[in-house]
Each structure stands twice: as C-alpha cells, then as structure tokens.
Amino acid sequence: MWGTGEIQLCYADLRGLTHRLEAFRALLSPDEAARAARFATEELRARCVLRRGLLRHRLGRVTGRDPAALVFSYGPMGKPSLPGGPAFNLADCKDHVLIAIAPGDAVELGVDVERLRSVPDAAGIAERFFAPEERAAFAALPEALRDEAFLNGWTRKEAFIKATGQGLSTPLDRFAVELTPGRPARLLGLDGALEAGRAGDWSLFDLRPAPGLVGALAVRGEGWRPVFRPLDDAFSA
C-alpha cells in the first residue's frame, strides 16, 4: 500500500543476490536477455541480469502483475517506463543498485548513486561541467569536504536529468544544485530554456542507502516522502 506522497526506494548489493541469478534471468524479455549477453565479461553479464530482474520483481510486487509479463516503453533518450504506471527509475554503481517507484505513470523522477570516494580531478570536472554557483561553492569548501561535495553535486545533477528524461543531452552547467555537505538538497537554479519548469517545481532528496554510498532522488512537485523498503526475506543469501 502507498502512503500519501510516498516514493518507495529499494537498495540492493548484487553480491548478495547471486543465488537469484537464474530465477531473475527467467524474468527477462528476449531483448533484455540479448542486451545482457552483449557485455564483455560474465561479471558484467550477471550484473545486468540481476539489475533488470530485481527491477521486474519489484514492479511486479507493487502492481500485483507477473514480473515476466511486464512490457516497457522507452522515451526518446532511452528512459524506460511502464504504461499505466507506476513511475520508476533505477541507478547502479557496480554492485550497488537503487530503485525508486512512485504511484501513477505521470510522476517525473530520477535517482543516482555513487560510492563515496576520492575523485581524481574533481576540481577540473567541476570547472568543466558545473554551473558557476556550484563551482564557487565547491572552491570555497575545505579540502576535507570536497569529495563529498562533488559527489553530492554529481548525483543530484544526474538524478535531475534522469527525471526529465533528457539524460546527458541536458547541459550540466545550465542548472545548479546545492552541494555543500550538511545543507538540504535542493535545486538552486534552472535555465528556462531547458523546458523543465522552475527550480521551485522540483524536489531533491539526499539519499544514503548504505554506508559509503551517496545518492540522490529528484522528483517534480512537492509533498513527496522517500521511504526505503527492505528486500523480501526470500532474497537473503
């Protein structure tokens, strides 16, 4: 059952789901199975199967439908959707997977996740891709906070462009997010030419799905409440 304004979040470490590999493989459509088979190594092929199988399982559980029978549609930039809803988005970082699901099919949402780590040339990447106010905020921070700040900014920007469905066709320096550690996640500014409304039309959430991970959720509108849901007991290794 959905709570008012609830967005269900599911986090999984795929290393704990390897025993579900063949069961998840059986859920995939022929095109999904073919996509997984094109990866260069068995490790990457298995991750693809587990990611997609877990997504189908969660959507099947939410809708009460056979997860193997779900048929996805794809937007112009490749973002998948489920006709009739619910809205969903998936992010992954190697073995770490984060799924967001919201009721209805018209909700615009996106998630992203990264490992908290030192990023080589973070300053150079920020200078090239971040908006002016983000670059100024990043440069003003002490060195000890810059790794987290950079990943805050990166995941929030990725979540936003995934929510709009435009992906990396959106110039990352045409909108700005709050990236300073300890401050609430929010969209600070948005170029009107991006046709994504106003900055105030969007909600951003800082997500920490597991120790050592940084994540973000972007969703159009107000009043949303992200809630983590545990994996089913049957998934335990």
Side-chain angles (χ1 to χ4, degrees):
M1 176 176 289
W2 296 96
T4 302
E6 181 177 290
I7 295 177
Q8 293 188 11
L9 298 169
C10 168
Y11 162 74
D13 185 332
L14 298 182
R15 292 169 293 187
L17 297 180
T18 54
H19 63 295
R20 301 284 299 183
L21 180 62
E22 295 310 315
F24 279 174
R25 194 189 306 276
L27 301 180
L28 304 190
S29 65
D31 63 302
E32 289 171 326
R35 189 180 310 130
R38 287 195 291 269
F39 282 92
T41 69
E42 179 55 36
E43 180 182 34
L44 295 176
R45 291 191 287 269
R47 281 180 185 161
C48 184
V49 170
L50 290 171
R51 283 195 304 267
R52 199 67 172 196
L54 177 62
L55 175 64
R56 282 182 169 273
H57 174 86
R58 296 300 292 186
L59 290 172
R61 178 60 60 90
V62 168
T63 61
R65 296 161 61 186
D66 178 0
L70 298 175
V71 178
F72 297 105
S73 296
Y74 295 88
M77 304 304 294
K79 183 179 182 180
S81 63
L82 193 61
F88 67 90
N89 197 235
L90 179 149
D92 66 279
C93 177
K94 292 189 176 180
D95 291 304
H96 304 287
V97 173
L98 183 61
I99 298 171
I101 304 176
D105 61 351
V107 180
E108 297 173 72
L109 80 166
V111 287
D112 194 48
V113 65
E114 292 283 349
R115 290 184 300 109
L116 181 56
R117 66 194 190 280
S118 178
V119 178
D121 197 29
I125 298 171
E127 184 65 29
R128 181 178 178 187
F129 293 107
F130 282 13
E133 53 265 61
E134 294 169 329
R135 298 198 300 266
F138 181 79
L141 288 171
E143 192 68 32
L145 295 179
R146 287 190 177 182
D147 288 337
E148 183 178 358
F150 176 83
L151 291 167
N152 281 346
W154 192 263
T155 55
R156 292 166 191 178
K157 291 170 87 67
E158 284 280 337
F160 174 74
I161 64 176
K162 291 175 71 178
T164 67
Q166 298 304 306
L168 289 174
S169 67
T170 303
L172 295 179
D173 61 355
R174 301 281 290 279
F175 66 97
V177 301
E178 177 62 71
L179 52 74
T180 301
R183 293 183 182 175
R186 63 190 182 102
L187 194 61
L188 298 176
L190 178 59
D191 189 326
L194 295 180
E195 299 182 355
R198 299 173 297 108
D201 296 336
W202 292 86
S203 298
L204 282 182
F205 297 93
D206 179 56
L207 304 177
R208 303 295 166 127
L213 297 179
V214 177
L217 166 70
V219 57
R220 188 188 286 268
E222 298 179 339
W224 296 105
R225 183 169 55 93
V227 178
F228 276 92
R229 298 293 188 187
L231 290 176
D232 301 336
D233 290 341
F235 280 23
S236 300

